[in-house]
Amino acid sequence: MPSFDTVLEADFVEVKNAVDQVTREIGTRFDFKGTGAAIELKEKEKEIILHGDAEFQLQQIDDVLRGKLTKRGVDARFLDVGKVEKAGGDKVKQVVKVRNGISTEDGKKIQQVIKGSKLKVQGAIQGDAVRVTGAKRDDLQTAMALIRSELKDLPLSFNNFRD
């Protein structure tokens, strides 16, 4: 039975490289000289922490980060930006989570899209992925196109395509 997996995972090596580039740019840019501007990557928690003197500075760092990620082929929709928090004194910080894995609600949305399409395919949530199976490859390819068009807010990818 042909099948494929619908997944939501960023290329974390590219994310790490983009954060390194942003760190270098913060060190060389004139408007960041002598300030508390910094960026930090926590790989285990899959989150990026932005540090700055003001909320405006955090926005500048975020813009640079999004630009570097886009150049490296990582979709900016993977970033889940948190609230700006006080970090002591006049410093502020912001936690940006890198989304990895399809949440249960998004998995249910994918299943609803598949069921509502009247295609002869089935979707099953398996952990943080959704496996779609069907009798024909053409139906699976139509399902891929349908999922991409219906769920534009998620940077979904498809892997593990089997005949």
Side-chain angles (χ1 to χ4, degrees):
M1 195 94 164
S3 67
F4 67 87
D5 290 341
T6 306
V7 294
L8 181 81
E9 51 188 39
D11 186 358
F12 213 70
V13 173
E14 293 297 335
V15 172
K16 185 176 178 183
N17 290 338
V19 169
D20 289 342
Q21 285 181 335
V22 172
T23 302
R24 274 187 253 125
E25 186 165 329
I26 287 173
T28 58
R29 272 183 49 171
F30 179 75
D31 54 344
F32 291 137
K33 292 273 189 204
T35 64
I39 188 169
E40 175 186 356
L41 177 69
K42 293 192 174 181
E43 290 185 49
K44 290 184 180 176
E45 294 89 19
K46 295 198 187 294
E47 58 187 27
I48 302 166
I49 301 174
L50 310 176
H51 299 277
D53 290 338
E55 195 170 330
F56 173 72
Q57 201 170 52
L58 292 180
Q59 185 61 43
Q60 286 181 318
I61 297 169
D62 185 49
D63 290 343
V64 172
L65 176 66
R66 288 177 188 274
K68 298 295 182 187
L69 285 171
T70 303
K71 283 184 181 177
R72 301 200 68 85
V74 178
D75 198 327
R77 293 178 291 177
F78 282 112
L79 300 181
D80 203 9
V81 181
K83 293 181 182 175
V84 176
E85 306 167 8
K86 293 279 186 192
D90 58 347
K91 307 282 187 211
V92 290
K93 74 175 187 175
Q94 187 173 28
V95 177
V96 179
K97 293 189 186 261
V98 180
R99 292 202 285 184
N100 200 16
I102 297 175
S103 67
T104 308
E105 300 88 39
D106 293 334
K108 288 179 182 176
K109 283 182 194 174
I110 292 170
Q111 281 185 319
Q112 293 299 320
V113 166
I114 291 170
K115 283 182 183 175
S117 70
K118 305 294 184 202
L119 289 171
K120 294 185 179 179
V121 294
Q122 295 85 34
I125 299 173
Q126 294 185 339
D128 57 355
V130 177
R131 175 151 301 161
V132 180
T133 57
K136 298 179 183 173
R137 290 178 64 180
D138 292 342
D139 289 343
L140 292 179
Q141 290 173 339
T142 306
M144 281 183 193
L146 181 70
I147 291 169
R148 272 204 182 105
S149 67
E150 291 291 322
L151 301 170
K152 289 186 168 97
D153 59 331
L154 296 175
L156 297 171
S157 59
F158 306 101
N159 63 12
N160 207 14
F161 195 94
R162 298 203 175 143
D163 271 333

